[in-house]
C-alpha cells in the first residue's frame, strides 16, 4: 500500500513540489518517527497525504479539503480504519495557523516535519516566490515564515534539536542580505 500511494502522490504532485516539499517532509517525519518510536509506515502515509487537498484544489483550506481525498485513497488501498482516522487528523491539524491542534504523536510529527522541510530548501522558496513578487517581498515572507515555523510549529524537542543549527544558519544568511536592502 505504501509503495502504491507513494507512486500516486509522486505522479500527482508537480516535480518541484515533490522534490522540494514532499520528499523532505517524508524524510523528517521518518526521522522523528524513529526518534519517538512511532509507527513509521503510518507516519510516511500521513506525510505523503498531508497536502493532498493542496495538490488537488489549491492551498486554501487544504487542511479540510484534503480529508475526504485521503480517505478515498486509503479506502481504495484497503487501509484499516484506525490508520484512516489517524491520517485524517494529521491533515486537519497540520497547519500552524488553524484551530485544530495536533493531538496524537503522529500528527505532531507531521506538523513538525512540514515545517522542518522549509529549513532545507531556502533557495527553492526564493525561486517560487520571486515569480509572484519582488525580491524584497519574497525575502520578508520567507524570513517571517521561517520564524513562524521555528517559534510555533516546531513544538517537539526532537525536532528543535534536529533543526537548531539550520535555523541559526538561515537567520545568519538572511541577516547578511538585509544589510543591503
Ligand atoms: Fe499543507
Ligand atoms: Fe506541507
Amino acid at each position: 500500500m505504501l509503495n502504491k500511494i507513494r507512486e500516486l502522490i509522486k505522479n500527482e504532485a508537480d516535480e518541484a513540489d515533490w522534490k522540494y516539499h514532499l520528499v523532505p517532509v517524508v524524510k523528517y517525519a521518518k526521522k522523528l518517527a524513529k526518534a519517538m518510536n512511532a509507527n513509521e509506515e503510518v507516519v510516511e502515509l500521513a506525510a505523503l497525504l498531508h497536502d493532498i487537498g493542496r495538490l488537488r484544489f489549491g492551498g486554501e483550506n487544504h487542511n479540510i479539503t484534503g480529508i475526504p481525498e485521503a480517505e478515498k485513497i486509503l479506502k481504495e488501498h484497503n487501509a484499516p480504519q484506525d490508520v484512516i482516522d489517524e491520517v485524517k487528523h494529521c491533515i486537519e491539524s497540520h497547519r500552524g495557523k488553524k484551530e485544530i491542534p495536533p493531538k496524537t504523536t503522529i500528527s505532531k510529527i507531521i506538523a513538525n516535519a512540514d515545517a522542518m522541510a522549509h529549513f532545507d530548501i531556502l533557495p527553492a522558496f526564493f525561486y517560487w516566490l520571486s515569480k509572484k513578487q519582488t525580491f524584497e517581498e519574497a525575502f520578508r515572507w520567507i524570513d517571517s515564515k521561517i520564524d513562524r515555523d521555528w517559534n510555533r510549529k516546531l513544538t517537539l524537542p526532537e525536532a528543535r534539536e534536529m533543526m537548531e543549527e539550520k535555523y541559526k544558519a538561515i537567520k545568519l544568511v538572511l541577516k547578511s542580505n538585509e544589510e543591503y536592502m
Side-chain angles (χ1 to χ4, degrees), residues 39-56:
N39 184 313
E40 271 185 66
E41 193 177 339
V42 180
V43 165
E44 183 166 355
L45 278 174
L48 289 166
L49 288 165
H50 83 281
D51 272 340
I52 186 70
R54 184 171 63 73
L55 302 185
R56 291 190 172 174

Side-chain angles (χ1 to χ4, degrees), residues 21-22 25 50-51 54 62 94 114 118 153:
H21 184 60
L22 294 162
V25 173
H50 83 281
D51 272 340
R54 184 171 63 73
H62 72 277
H94 85 276
D114 193 26
H118 298 147
K153 283 193 81 178

Side-chain angles (χ1 to χ4, degrees), residues 14-150:
D14 74 43
E15 202 193 341
D17 214 344
W18 173 254
K19 280 170 72 178
Y20 301 122
H21 184 60
L22 294 162
V23 167
V25 173
V26 168
K27 179 184 90 173
Y28 281 118
K30 287 172 81 175
K31 260 181 117 162
L32 287 172
K34 267 205 186 81
M36 300 177 70
N37 281 319
N39 184 313
E40 271 185 66
E41 193 177 339
V42 180
V43 165
E44 183 166 355
L45 278 174
L48 289 166
L49 288 165
H50 83 281
D51 272 340
I52 186 70
R54 184 171 63 73
L55 302 185
R56 291 190 172 174
F57 312 113
E60 205 184 335
N61 293 325
H62 72 277
N63 49 316
I64 305 297
T65 61
I67 294 172
E69 299 304 309
E71 184 160 34
K72 229 185 296 170
I73 292 168
L74 289 166
K75 279 207 167 125
E76 278 165 14
H77 291 82
N78 303 313
Q81 192 58 45
D82 59 331
V83 172
I84 296 175
D85 291 341
E86 180 68 72
V87 172
K88 283 163 73 179
H89 176 58
C90 290
I91 294 172
E92 70 182 1
S93 64
H94 85 276
R95 301 179 80 186
K97 295 177 206 161
K98 302 290 171 177
E99 295 73 26
I100 304 168
K103 290 187 209 89
T104 60
T105 302
I106 292 181
S107 60
K108 286 175 191 162
I109 287 174
I110 298 303
N112 276 259
D114 193 26
M116 291 162 89
H118 298 147
F119 291 68
D120 281 16
I121 53 93
L122 199 66
F125 258 158
F126 279 109
Y127 170 74
W128 279 322
L129 287 175
S130 62
K131 292 193 237 170
K132 293 191 279 194
Q133 42 195 309
T134 67
F135 170 73
E136 283 77 10
E137 284 163 342
F139 182 97
R140 291 282 160 237
W141 188 89
I142 289 166
D143 190 34
S144 68
K145 176 111 177 149
I146 291 291
D147 278 335
R148 269 202 319 275
D149 285 340
W150 178 252

